[in-house]
Amino acid sequence: MNNNEFIMPTPPLPLTPPEEEKLRGRLSGFKGGYDEGYLRGRLAILNGRSEEVFPVRDIHVMYVASGKGYPYSPLDDAVLCALQKLTAQVTITDVRQNLVELTAAQRPDLVLVLDGMDLPLEQIDAIRTSGIRTAIWLTDDPYYTDFTVKIVAHYDFVFTLERNCIDFYRGLGCPEVHYLPFAAHLEHYRPTTTRSSVNREVSFIGSAYWNRVNFFREILPDLMNYNTVINGIWWDRLPEAPLYGDRIEIGKWMSPQETAVAYSGSKIVINLHRSHIDEVVNNNTLSIPAVSPNPRTFEIAATGTLQLVDARDDMGSFYKPDEEIVTFASPQEMMDKIRYYLTHEEERRAIALRAFERTLKDHTYAKRIYQMLQVIYG
């Protein structure tokens, strides 16, 4: 045989069905690893960017924490962290202290109260009379308006996270009512940028309000066909919960850090708002409807995962639907979108990354406190 002679290559032997299955599994594993690595790498790059720096105001703020403990204490941490970055001096106290004596001794420029449900109103009245500005940031609108209706007129400035409460409070004689939803506290809510210790397809974390129980009951078998985990208190209200063992966790408050890890380790996180009508837990006799996003909207987005959220009228003011966040209007529409995005990795990843970038830019507590101080001081 000379060197120029062509030799026909031996054709590969056909794979047996078990070999084909093994090859498909290997290729799927390679793609899954690539997709996961790409997402974590992009999140790491965005996560490493410097945060926006806001000017520091030469003012002394006395911050009055809710005094309620968990789950309000993480909100206190978030607000306090932002205040310490944006003001010259912060004094920390809570509703159990004698604020009249404290303000008389320290003379802050502003007393900022979170929640304020348990704060004696005569103390706020005395502080205002002494010439110190007061502000309250309400935490649970519109669900406890039976209580807030009695306290808002005692403050110079009222900040609410529910758009529909603005005119309601102004109608009570409050001249300075402003819309200021919560945000993502980046010390608590960040994406896992290395391989996550959690590996879920779908997560839901939240209390089992009755509207959520009824919503999930309709599609629970389909939802649990995926690697789905539900966490939160009161899920013993769901009759089918025992069928799924520890995939429906009952009776546990998760810390922000645990929650962030679970979010970031999930391909899709469901955000289903509580109803403004709930005779068991709400105190909203006027049935003021809720149209604004809950705090979880920003916290989920801050962990770099795709969020499926029930549509609320004001959601588009914060995230672009189908570009930065995905909405649904019914259980079946939610299931259709879960099926779609679990099989369209690039689209899922792109939306999650855009939401994360938008959150870093627009929806941090530093940004919110900066806006609050602009309202109060110009």
Side-chain angles (χ1 to χ4, degrees):
M1 182 176 69
N2 61 51
N3 292 335
N4 296 323
E5 185 176 354
F6 175 75
I7 300 176
M8 179 69 69
T10 304
L13 294 175
L15 297 176
T16 64
E19 289 173 331
E20 286 185 0
E21 184 68 25
K22 186 176 181 180
L23 179 60
R24 279 196 295 269
R26 185 180 301 154
L27 293 175
S28 177
F30 287 154
K31 185 177 187 308
Y34 170 82
D35 290 338
E36 177 77 3
Y38 181 88
L39 175 62
R40 301 294 167 193
R42 290 286 298 140
L43 289 170
I45 292 171
L46 294 172
N47 196 43
R49 292 180 179 176
S50 299
E51 294 181 29
E52 184 175 359
V53 178
F54 297 100
V56 177
R57 289 184 180 267
D58 186 21
I59 58 173
H60 175 194
V61 177
M62 179 173 287
Y63 178 66
V64 185
S66 67
K68 291 183 175 180
Y70 199 80
Y72 291 86
S73 52
L75 297 175
D76 289 321
D77 293 343
V79 177
L80 183 59
C81 182
L83 281 172
Q84 289 171 331
K85 293 177 181 178
L86 297 180
T87 63
Q89 182 181 350
V90 180
T91 297
I92 309 162
T93 185
D94 63 44
V95 296
R96 294 165 293 190
Q97 310 306 314
N98 188 321
L99 300 185
V100 177
E101 292 181 359
L102 285 173
T103 53
Q106 302 204 22
R107 296 301 301 177
D109 301 292
L110 171 69
V111 172
L112 173 60
V113 178
L114 186 78
D115 180 69
M117 297 287 191
D118 300 325
L119 179 59
L121 295 175
E122 59 270 19
Q123 293 199 33
I124 290 297
D125 293 340
I127 292 168
R128 289 181 71 184
T129 301
S130 73
I132 297 172
R133 293 182 183 184
T134 60
I136 187 168
W137 200 356
L138 298 168
T139 59
D140 293 285
D141 280 339
Y143 309 110
Y144 298 151
T145 46
D146 294 351
F147 301 140
T148 59
V149 69
K150 302 172 185 177
I151 67 176
V152 288
H154 292 262
Y155 291 84
D156 295 304
F157 295 87
V158 176
F159 295 90
T160 175
L161 46 69
E162 173 50 55
R163 191 183 72 186
N164 272 352
C165 283
I166 298 173
D167 289 340
F168 173 59
Y169 291 143
R170 287 176 180 168
L172 298 174
C174 304
E176 292 284 355
V177 183
H178 301 273
Y179 182 30
L180 194 69
F182 287 149
H185 183 33
L186 301 182
E187 301 295 321
H188 291 164
Y189 292 95
R190 286 281 195 174
T192 303
T193 54
T194 57
R195 182 176 291 277
S196 178
S197 58
V198 173
N199 184 17
R200 304 177 184 178
E201 289 181 302
V202 183
S203 282
F204 175 80
I205 299 175
S207 302
Y209 295 108
W210 283 112
N211 72 298
R212 292 171 174 172
V213 171
N214 296 330
F215 181 96
F216 280 116
R217 286 198 76 185
E218 185 174 332
I219 42 83
L220 192 63
D222 287 344
L223 181 63
M224 301 307 278
N225 279 334
Y226 299 98
N227 177 15
T228 301
V229 179
I230 296 173
N231 307 94
I233 62 172
W234 305 336
W235 283 103
D236 50 346
R237 291 176 170 181
L238 185 67
E240 296 83 0
L243 299 176
Y244 299 99
D246 59 4
R247 294 176 63 197
I248 299 181
E249 186 178 44
I250 296 171
K252 178 186 177 183
W253 283 110
M254 295 175 67
S255 71
Q257 292 80 3
E258 289 178 293
T259 302
V261 170
Y263 285 162
S264 191
S266 305
K267 291 184 179 296
I268 294 172
V269 174
I270 299 168
N271 181 9
L272 180 63
H273 290 83
R274 62 189 285 189
S275 173
H276 67 279
I277 300 173
D278 188 325
E279 295 180 357
V280 178
V281 296
N282 286 357
N283 290 273
N284 182 18
T285 304
L286 295 176
S287 296
I288 298 172
V291 297
S292 301
N294 60 11
R296 289 190 187 275
T297 304
F298 309 108
E299 294 163 358
I300 295 168
T303 61
T305 191
L306 175 66
Q307 179 174 178
L308 289 186
V309 59
D310 57 316
R312 278 196 162 181
D313 290 351
D314 205 32
M315 189 66 68
S317 299
F318 302 91
Y319 295 99
K320 295 179 181 178
D322 298 323
E323 292 186 32
E324 299 169 330
I325 203 166
V326 177
T327 61
F328 59 83
S330 69
Q332 288 305 323
E333 184 182 6
M334 186 191 78
M335 287 308 307
D336 290 342
K337 291 186 174 182
I338 286 174
R339 295 185 191 99
Y340 180 85
Y341 284 106
L342 287 178
T343 55
H344 291 76
E345 171 64 27
E346 291 185 6
E347 290 182 51
R348 181 186 71 82
R349 186 174 63 211
I351 294 171
L353 287 168
R354 286 193 290 265
F356 179 60
E357 193 165 13
R358 177 73 179 274
T359 304
L360 296 183
K361 177 177 178 289
D362 292 335
H363 303 313
T364 66
Y365 275 93
K367 187 70 173 276
R368 297 288 194 263
I369 294 297
Y370 173 71
Q371 293 168 332
M372 176 187 286
L373 296 177
Q374 276 190 311
V375 166
I376 298 172
Y377 289 101

